[in-house]
Amino acid sequence: MTLTACGIRPTSILTGAEAPTVSSHTLTIYLVTPQRDGLVRRTRDYTGTVDITTAMNVLLAGLTDEEKKLGLVTELPTTNDKAVAVLNVIVMPEGIEPPTSKWAVFQVHCTALASRAKVAGVESLPDENCP
């Protein structure tokens, strides 16, 4: 029996740095139709750490260029200030009043429901209001 080898000598195991990781998620937010007669479910890719406030902060950051071109609107004020979580309740950023219009309430409720959270100052609504 004959054995051959390719001529490469064995080496010890070479270790390298940790492999890079990226955490990518799809978030669901709700915007108002151009006719202001209903909600539209929108998904956005989000890279980074996600907690129960992330979807709400994405909603409060405003519309993307694509959403503006589609004529979608939001009845919530746009802000870069962040909502915070206290246990399983989202507290809106300081200076942002609880929503009062029907569609603003639905936007917040449905976005929170999609992220399995509750929002302080927003009453629970039946799930059939969320498309």
Side-chain angles (χ1 to χ4, degrees), residues 8-86:
I8 298 175
R9 296 180 187 207
T11 61
S12 59
I13 297 174
L14 302 174
T15 60
E18 291 289 321
T21 59
V22 174
S23 179
S24 181
H25 304 277
T26 300
L27 300 175
T28 299
I29 64 168
Y30 287 84
L31 300 173
V32 182
T33 62
Q35 302 80 15
R36 295 185 184 262
D37 61 355
L39 292 181
V40 175
R41 180 185 179 121
R42 297 289 297 173
T43 57
R44 293 191 189 167
D45 291 331
Y46 184 85
T47 302
T49 304
V50 173
D51 60 19
I52 65 171
T53 60
T54 305
M56 194 60 58
N57 287 325
V58 167
L59 177 64
L60 291 171
L63 304 170
T64 64
D65 290 338
E66 178 187 354
E67 291 161 348
K68 290 175 187 175
K69 287 178 186 174
L70 293 171
L72 300 175
V73 294
T74 180
E75 292 197 358
L76 298 168
T78 301
T79 181
N80 289 324
D81 292 338
K82 303 296 183 194
V84 295
V86 178

